[in-house]
Amino acid sequence: MPLSLRFRRLLIVPLLAGGLAAAFAGGVWFERERAAARDEWAEARLLSQAIDSVRVNALDSLPSDELIRRAVAGMLRELHDPYAALLRGDGVQRYRGTLQGEVRGLGLTLRGQDNGASVMRVARGSPAQAAGLRAGDRILMVDGVPVRDGWGKQRDSTDDAPASNVLKVWRAPMGDTATITVFRTTWHMSAVAEEGLLADSVGYVRVWTMTARSAAELEEAVESLVARGAKSLVLDLRGNGGGLFEEGVKAAGLFLPRGMVVSSLAGRGGTAPQPHRAPTSRWPNMPLTVLVDAGTASAAEVTAAALRDYRRALLVGAPTYGKGVVQRVVTLSKELSLRLTTARWLTPNGEALERRQGTGAAATGGIEPDVLLDDAVRRDWSAAPPGWTAAASAQVNRLADSLALHALRESWAISPLAVLEARMRVALAQMVPREVEDPVARTEWVTVGTRMAVLRVFEVEQADEQLLRYAVRSDAALRAGLDVLAPGVDVSHVVPTALPVVLPSVLGRRAISVP
């Protein structure tokens, strides 16, 4: 036999054997895939049969669509994911609208009174601002119905709230009344709730959420403060429940060198974490403190953790919530969608964040601040102390209102603050109820009433920066954050507690009538 023919036969035999082996292996793989598909379809049919059986045979059955929704809801519960949810109808649009910062409320922050609701703050760009409402206004009636304590807190932004409200408003200082119609529309609420200079070179910005444009709005606020002379910043993230992961990354990036890894997302299946880097850099060397508390969560923690890991900021306050995961919405049908946790985010140091659990020394999770405070929560500066009775709180509120109105009508100067406080303390010392006999209790009564009256005056005068500086006294975290950047700076001079024995008559026990 020729050599070439023998060689070709020797070559063909192993190739043929290899082909047969590959075909056999491919057939095995194909059969396995078919079997797996059959198993999956069998499981799907099992679920369908279970739903049909319940619908047809159960004594108290439900329509098929409702059974399917409840089956999906039950499946989500079995995941033990506190953030997973079944979204129905326009729930998806509302959820996405929330992440975009779109709200439907009037934009009012109210303080309940005996027979009315005082406007403490009007949000920028809100329907209330467009209608002409302003801080210090007293809302007496809504759509012809007298207002009771706390109107608007429950129904202001709910779906069943009316499209408009007709408000009867009493306005300080002269006591004029006006009828104002406010149209409830969807509008974008800025993520920046407050901003100002705590001192000549120390700025302050409170970011209350991480919705769309939050980082841009933070950048605009800091830019404005820098133009006014701010060289350092207190960034307040207390109560910021987060929102969009990307906004947390962008916010941190403003204070880091461009390109630094702010956070990484680790998905399922052991895939390598995907880094998310600072897209821009504005103030990579600005001295910075960040205020956090148990309400600081999610994307706000992304910002805080990155600034801590790179030693760009000192964290002040209380341990954070510990939401180290992100969610996305998966559409099932026109009427149903799923919100699922799909990834875990990691700090620049590669740490995963666990939810805060436990109390005291045994508590774990969240981000531990560098400066830990027992009381880091933002409080309502205009409220009476928690231990006061309802009657005493109402009484001091009424007299503080009366004194503030007197100060406004008499054009008492709001600066310097020490002088305004001194005049108010003298007046209130003569107005303390006779039944308050203990000297310590009387002094506290005067102190609380003075604080309330000063805040009322600042609200009407729209003196937002004075309000902010005044808050430093009673806000431990804000005071600590400021002391890190400007140790010992006095933002609002304190009047000595001791009062003169003989007081000049200012108001006596006469009170100006306030609705």
Side-chain angles (χ1 to χ4, degrees):
M1 182 182 293
L3 183 62
S4 59
L5 180 59
R6 185 181 302 168
F7 178 77
R8 281 197 297 264
R9 286 180 178 177
L10 290 174
L11 182 63
I12 290 171
V13 170
L15 287 175
L16 184 60
L20 290 172
F24 177 78
V28 170
W29 175 85
F30 182 70
E31 281 302 317
R32 285 177 180 170
E33 289 297 309
R34 286 183 61 186
R38 283 197 299 269
D39 289 343
E40 289 179 3
W41 281 110
E43 293 170 356
R45 282 195 297 271
L46 179 63
L47 178 61
S48 177
Q49 288 172 352
I51 292 173
D52 286 341
S53 283
V54 171
R55 180 177 57 81
V56 173
N57 300 307
L59 179 62
D60 298 314
S61 184
L62 295 167
S64 295
D65 57 346
E66 184 62 22
L67 286 173
I68 292 171
R69 281 195 287 268
R70 296 195 182 193
V72 174
M75 180 171 57
L76 293 180
R77 281 195 301 272
E78 289 302 311
L79 291 175
H80 302 293
D81 179 358
Y83 311 110
L86 178 64
L87 305 177
R88 305 186 185 190
D90 59 354
V92 179
Q93 284 69 35
R94 287 199 303 270
Y95 174 67
R96 287 177 171 156
T98 300
L99 293 179
Q100 293 299 313
E102 304 300 326
V103 296
R104 193 173 175 266
L106 299 182
L108 294 173
T109 302
L110 302 173
R111 176 175 56 246
Q113 304 292 146
D114 290 343
N115 55 345
S118 290
V119 177
M120 298 172 61
R121 186 178 295 275
V122 179
R124 287 174 289 188
S126 67
Q129 185 185 54
L133 283 164
R134 59 193 190 212
D137 285 349
R138 182 74 58 88
I139 301 173
L140 304 178
M141 302 183 77
V142 179
D143 298 329
V145 179
V147 169
R148 296 290 175 253
D149 180 13
W151 169 80
K153 292 181 180 178
Q154 285 75 37
R155 298 186 66 248
D156 184 31
S157 59
T158 56
D159 290 338
D160 61 344
S164 64
N165 287 120
V166 179
L167 310 180
K168 183 179 179 182
V169 175
W170 181 91
R171 180 159 287 170
M174 301 314 297
D176 303 323
T177 58
T179 299
I180 299 176
T181 301
V182 186
F183 294 94
R184 184 178 276 99
T185 59
T186 300
W187 55 285
H188 178 79
M189 179 178 281
S190 173
V192 174
E194 292 176 84
E195 61 183 274
L197 289 176
L198 290 174
D200 291 342
S201 62
V202 182
Y204 170 87
V205 178
R206 180 164 81 92
V207 180
W208 73 280
T209 184
M210 286 293 179
T211 50
R213 295 201 73 248
S214 295
E217 288 160 356
L218 170 60
E219 182 177 6
E220 291 169 7
V222 177
E223 203 166 48
S224 173
L225 293 172
V226 169
R228 294 179 56 199
K231 294 181 173 56
S232 57
L233 181 71
V234 176
L235 176 60
D236 194 344
L237 297 181
R238 290 176 295 173
N240 187 322
L244 296 173
F245 170 80
E246 295 80 3
E247 291 298 320
V249 171
K250 292 176 184 176
L254 295 173
F255 307 100
L256 296 170
R258 184 177 180 180
M260 300 290 280
V261 174
V262 175
S263 181
S264 299
L265 287 182
R268 57 180 293 177
T271 56
Q274 298 299 308
H276 288 251
R277 303 177 182 276
T280 57
S281 176
R282 291 298 311 274
W283 303 280
N285 299 310
M286 175 184 281
L288 187 68
T289 57
V290 178
L291 310 186
V292 296
D293 66 2
T296 306
S298 187
E301 290 177 291
V302 170
T303 301
L307 296 177
R308 176 204 62 179
D309 279 8
Y310 287 117
R311 299 184 181 278
R312 273 293 293 115
L314 203 67
L315 267 58
V316 176
T320 63
Y321 181 85
K323 185 176 183 287
V325 291
V326 297
Q327 289 76 42
R328 72 183 182 96
V329 173
V330 180
T331 301
L332 299 179
S333 68
K334 185 178 180 180
E335 293 298 322
L336 289 178
S337 295
L338 297 178
R339 184 178 68 214
L340 293 173
T341 296
T342 57
R344 180 178 295 278
W345 63 265
L346 309 176
T347 72
N349 287 344
E351 299 173 1
L353 208 60
E354 299 297 334
R355 188 169 175 177
R356 187 76 176 173
Q357 294 184 358
T359 58
T364 59
I367 303 172
E368 289 283 342
D370 302 297
V371 180
L372 184 63
L373 301 174
D374 293 333
D375 182 13
V377 179
R378 290 176 52 87
R379 301 193 182 282
D380 180 2
W381 310 321
S382 63
W388 283 40
T389 66
S393 298
Q395 192 170 23
V396 74
N397 262 295
R398 283 194 297 271
L399 292 180
D401 276 343
S402 178
L403 179 56
L405 191 58
H406 175 81
L408 289 163
R409 288 181 177 177
E410 296 297 318
S411 300
W412 287 6
I414 63 174
S415 180
L417 175 59
V419 173
L420 175 64
E421 275 195 313
R423 300 180 75 173
M424 287 187 167
R425 289 181 68 89
V426 167
L428 277 165
Q430 302 171 78
M431 301 165 71
V432 178
R434 290 188 176 89
E435 58 269 22
V436 182
E437 298 178 351
D438 180 69
V440 175
R442 291 182 70 86
T443 299
E444 183 186 24
W445 208 95
V446 170
T447 300
V448 171
T450 299
R451 171 167 51 83
M452 288 180 170
V454 169
L455 289 169
R456 301 314 196 250
V457 170
F458 283 164
E459 286 171 0
V460 174
E461 295 286 356
Q462 300 184 41
D464 294 340
E465 201 155 275
Q466 287 92 328
L467 267 171
L468 179 60
R469 294 188 178 195
Y470 197 57
V472 174
R473 291 189 196 173
S474 54
D475 190 328
L478 187 53
R479 177 75 256 182
L482 175 62
D483 283 343
V484 169
L485 301 171
V489 66
D490 190 2
V491 298
S492 60
H493 298 288
V494 180
V495 176
T497 300
L499 294 170
V501 177
V502 180
L503 300 173
S505 176
V506 179
L507 288 178
R509 295 189 180 276
R510 175 175 57 85
I512 299 174
S513 177
V514 180

